[in-house]
Amino acid sequence: MLSIDLSNKRALVAGVADDGGYGFAIARSLAEAGASVVVGTWPPALNIFNNLLERGKLDESRRLDRGGMLEFERIYPLDAAYDTLADAPEDVRTSKRYKDTGDFSIDGIATRLVADFGERPLDIVVHSLANGPEVKKPLLDTSRAGYLTAVSVSAYSMVSLVARLAPLMRPGGSFLSLTYMASERVIPGYGGGMSSAKAALESDTRVLAYEAGRRHGVRVNCISAGPWASRAASAIGIIEKMVEYVSANAPLSAPLAAPEVGAAAAFLSSPLASGITGTVVYVDKGYHAMGMAVQS
Ligand SMILES: NC(=O)c1ccc[n+]([C@@H]2O[C@H](COP(=O)([O-])OP(=O)(O)OC[C@H]3O[C@@H](n4cnc5c(N)ncnc54)[C@H](O)[C@@H]3O)[C@@H](O)[C@H]2O)c1
């Protein structure tokens, strides 16, 4: 039978801090397919995540259909706003949640991966993180700083991850990021430059696929996921409305479930997708195909 086989592969999923988001669902699917999984967690969320794990609060969602539990081989601190530790301002480096974590930059996670697992530690990298401090503000009211932070954390971070990690990938390596349709159609309420960041992320998917494909032989793809009430999405303030709207208007009206994104991510990260790179794949119950709202 044709199956997704990721045994003997290691995946880094950047952007996991609980069991409520796409990153966790993707990590779980990769583990279902046999991959070992390390995660990168934002330092302000690291303690809470470790506590949830230690207290067994995530045990139910960590249980795998194939038996056993989703185990994280490592949980690395990662603030994707910084390429090197020296880029982080002094007040961040010395603040309560950062000071004892060691090097939390993108360069830092690359160095730790090599120290822990050798020169070629990775097969799969998933970028499942975003942050727009002014996401609740219309673009027209967004400050330059808010806009640039959204693009820096949510889009440039992918460029930086590919630049630093592609040379560490084993043959057949795959990068994947998560975007949202607000990059190409207006979603009122998805503000703060986050729509701009997602547009950049999608365009960069194509350019990175070409450049890193030629230079390192890796693939770079992106999933455009439908709305899901994760912790990050709840910060937008209108996520329930977005989920309901898509259910009411998409070709498939059952609400999107995070494991559906996880399964697509496992496929795209697997050797079965060896011919696919530079693409944005919709996992949104078909909503992107609609040109008119369904009359109730
Ligand atoms: N939830 C949705 O409706 C939806 C739809 C389409 C795309 N997406 C995308 O999916 C991805 C995952 O988001 P999610 O909605 O599953 O929420 P989530 O809360 O599970 O994931 C976002 C993660 O980003 C982390 N993060 C924030 N700033 C960071 C930084 N500077 N460095 C490192 N990590 C940082 C957070 O700690 C969190 O773990 C994001 O790219 C998001 O834009 C989400």
Side-chain angles (χ1 to χ4, degrees), residues 9-273:
K9 295 195 185 293
R10 181 175 296 109
L12 163 66
V13 183
V16 180
D18 56 37
D19 60 353
Y22 285 139
F24 185 91
I26 292 169
R28 196 173 178 283
S29 292
L30 294 172
E32 287 285 7
S36 54
V37 177
V38 303
V39 294
T41 300
W42 195 35
L46 195 57
N47 270 345
I48 303 167
F49 185 43
N50 278 325
N51 279 338
L52 287 172
L53 283 166
E54 276 160 27
R55 293 188 0 245
K57 299 284 181 194
L58 308 183
D59 284 1
E60 199 54 46
S61 21
R62 283 172 53 226
R63 197 154 289 130
L64 298 176
D65 295 341
R66 67 176 171 92
M69 302 280 268
L70 163 62
E71 304 288 351
F72 299 117
E73 214 181 355
R74 294 284 189 286
I75 299 173
Y76 295 117
L78 172 68
D79 193 324
Y82 307 114
D83 303 319
T84 67
L85 192 57
D87 292 337
E90 177 72 16
D91 61 330
V92 171
R93 269 186 279 149
T94 54
S95 66
K96 189 167 148 246
R97 303 217 185 272
Y98 284 77
K99 65 179 169 36
D100 299 322
T101 60
D103 189 341
F104 49 79
S105 69
I106 289 174
D107 192 53
I109 204 170
T111 305
R112 285 182 195 216
L113 279 160
V114 170
D116 291 350
F117 303 110
E119 288 301 311
R120 299 269 174 168
L122 286 175
D123 303 279
I124 295 164
V125 173
V126 179
H127 173 287
S128 182
L129 60 95
N131 196 7
E134 298 181 21
V135 66
K136 286 187 178 164
K137 287 189 189 169
L139 186 57
L140 260 182
D141 301 327
T142 298
S143 71
R144 185 181 295 264
Y147 180 100
L148 292 177
T149 299
V151 175
S152 163
V153 172
S154 314
Y156 183 79
S157 55
M158 179 64 179
V159 178
S160 182
L161 273 182
V162 175
R164 191 65 181 80
L165 298 179
L168 311 184
M169 302 285 270
R170 295 191 276 240
S174 162
F175 285 86
L176 184 70
S177 67
L178 275 293
T179 187
Y180 178 47
M181 205 192 59
S183 58
E184 45 177 332
R185 301 274 189 275
V186 181
I187 306 287
Y190 193 81
M194 277 307 300
S195 56
S196 328
K198 291 305 191 190
L201 185 66
E202 290 174 30
S203 178
D204 295 345
T205 299
R206 295 181 279 275
V207 180
L208 291 170
Y210 165 64
E211 292 182 358
R214 289 295 175 107
R215 206 181 290 180
H216 302 288
V218 297
R219 299 182 294 111
V220 184
N221 290 298
C222 189
I223 287 178
S224 184
W228 169 258
S230 64
R231 181 181 285 257
S234 301
I236 306 167
I238 52 160
I239 186 65
E240 305 299 347
K241 204 171 124 192
M242 291 158 79
V243 171
E244 267 171 41
Y245 187 87
V246 168
S247 270
N249 292 290
L252 301 174
S253 52
L256 180 71
E260 295 178 295
V261 172
F267 163 69
L268 285 170
S269 304
S270 79
L272 289 178

